[in-house]
Amino acid sequence: MKSACLLAAGLALAPFATSVSAQIMDFAKIDMIAEPMGPNLTMLSGSSGIDPSHDDAAGGRIGVLAGPDGILMVDSQYAQLADKVLAAIRRISAEPIRFLVNTHIHRDHTAGNAFFARMGAVILAREELRDGMMRTAKSPNAAANPLSDPAGWPVITYGMGAPVTIHLDGETVELIPVRAAHTGGDTMIRFVNADVIMIGDFYRNYGYPFIDLGNGGSLKGMLEALDQTARLAGPDTRLVPGHGTVIKRGDLVPYRDMIATVAERVKTAIAEGKSLQDVIASKPTADYDAKLAGGTSLSANRFVTELYEDVMYADLK
Ligand SMILES: [Zn+2]
């Protein structure tokens, strides 16, 4: 009975889950915009008004640490933007791109990996991320999936132990593993001297949170990741999400509260025997919808579906 419910819920989730991919996007219209974050740290984002999933900036944000020791990149955007990303990096520095770190597996953060690996960049990421890429490559639609190019798979992987530390360009870069949150292979990247942490997508301020259960994400991990970030960050540390505006530690609190509140509503509804369709129809996010930028019904329904599925999975453990 439970597995039938899970199957039904999984099928319901599928149309929402595909919204992370580049469906209707005119890549030719996207420019890369540079945002300086310190003497040798820059963020690159795609221009606004083009990406249907992230209206404020197309694709995922890229971090560029540049200096005499070479360049370290965080994430690699859609493959279709690789030339533009490289041109934007070259406006910052002509040094070799030595390291590329992925915050998580989604293609708006990793599909450019192969392009930069072929230029000599060594890719680092969580073991779970590499495993996910290898599985994706074997999936029936692999031919259409840029992740299926093994050149883009991480070369150096790590687990949930101590952070991997890279010393480059006078900066100390910590790759901090995050327990299954947005996906099962999330990493935060902390630039200690610049006092900046790139937190990937377990926080987003455009639309509702995305817990990608199909790629190993979890509600519990999402809440833990937010707590971990709050412990690491000082009051003025700039927290840079994979999409959306840069935030500070204090901004995490209402976001965490919102997730916990909606999750409790969904749990209560499940305990009352409500179906996924009933729970979606009851609009458990209603009091947040107007306040949240990009809080569309699609994004709310996907979030509620994930919470419903997560609770059902948790019930099986
Ligand atoms: Zn993502």
Side-chain angles (χ1 to χ4, degrees):
M1 186 61 192
K2 273 284 162 55
S3 35
C5 289
L6 282 175
L7 183 62
L11 289 172
L13 186 65
F16 301 120
T18 55
S19 70
V20 289
S21 62
Q23 296 148 326
I24 323 151
M25 204 175 344
D26 187 351
F27 288 100
K29 288 188 178 160
I30 299 171
D31 295 319
M32 297 309 299
I33 295 159
E35 185 183 356
M37 300 290 287
N40 55 3
L41 182 63
T42 308
M43 297 296 148
L44 300 176
S45 301
S47 41
S48 62
I50 297 163
D51 184 346
S53 320
H54 300 284
D55 189 54
D56 54 345
R61 189 178 258 124
I62 290 180
V64 181
L65 176 72
D69 302 336
I71 294 169
L72 176 143
M73 288 174 72
V74 177
D75 286 344
S76 63
Q77 264 280 14
Y78 287 116
Q80 293 91 330
L81 295 172
D83 286 329
K84 288 182 182 175
V85 171
L86 179 60
I89 291 173
R90 287 298 170 234
R91 286 193 285 275
I92 300 167
S93 168
E95 297 291 339
I97 301 171
R98 292 179 62 190
F99 302 105
L100 166 54
V101 183
N102 290 140
T103 59
H104 66 289
I105 192 170
H106 290 151
R107 71 180 72 183
D108 50 341
H109 301 265
T110 61
N113 275 13
F115 177 94
F116 293 100
R118 288 195 175 95
M119 292 182 63
V122 175
I123 304 176
L124 298 94
R126 291 277 299 283
E127 288 154 14
E128 292 85 345
L129 185 150
R130 188 174 196 276
D131 290 347
M133 284 186 173
M134 294 172 73
R135 274 199 306 277
T136 307
K138 291 174 190 152
S139 73
N141 63 352
N145 193 328
L147 298 185
S148 64
D149 186 344
W153 296 352
V155 173
I156 299 176
T157 60
Y158 47 89
M160 279 300 302
V164 174
T165 307
I166 299 175
H167 302 276
L168 196 76
D169 298 323
E171 180 58 277
T172 302
V173 186
E174 294 177 348
L175 318 185
I176 302 168
V178 175
R179 203 168 290 284
H182 176 58
T183 71
D186 291 0
T187 296
M188 282 193 265
I189 291 86
R190 181 186 194 190
F191 299 90
V192 174
N193 297 340
D195 199 15
V196 167
I197 309 176
M198 293 186 72
I199 58 176
D201 284 5
F202 61 77
Y203 174 92
R204 64 185 284 170
N205 48 23
Y206 190 84
Y208 280 97
F210 179 25
I211 306 170
D212 185 354
L213 304 176
N215 274 306
S218 73
L219 167 64
K220 187 166 181 285
M222 201 92 160
L223 297 173
E224 283 181 12
L226 294 165
D227 294 340
Q228 184 182 3
T229 309
R231 282 196 303 273
L232 278 170
D236 296 322
T237 303
R238 286 165 295 168
L239 303 173
V240 183
H243 311 265
T245 50
V246 174
I247 57 163
K248 299 270 178 73
R249 187 173 70 183
D251 298 311
L252 296 170
V253 177
Y255 180 77
R256 191 195 191 286
D257 286 350
M258 183 264 288
I259 295 175
T261 301
V262 178
E264 275 311 308
R265 290 172 186 167
V266 171
K267 277 183 199 169
T268 303
I270 288 172
E272 289 165 357
K274 300 244 171 72
S275 70
L276 173 62
Q277 283 68 28
D278 290 341
V279 179
I280 289 174
S282 73
K283 297 195 182 305
T285 62
D287 47 335
Y288 296 102
D289 290 350
K291 285 180 274 179
L292 187 74
T296 61
S297 61
L298 180 70
S299 136
N301 293 352
R302 181 178 76 176
F303 179 46
V304 172
T305 303
E306 291 153 12
L307 293 173
Y308 191 94
E309 274 227 315
D310 186 281
V311 173
M312 297 299 280
Y313 276 114
D315 201 31
L316 284 179
K317 282 173 193 164

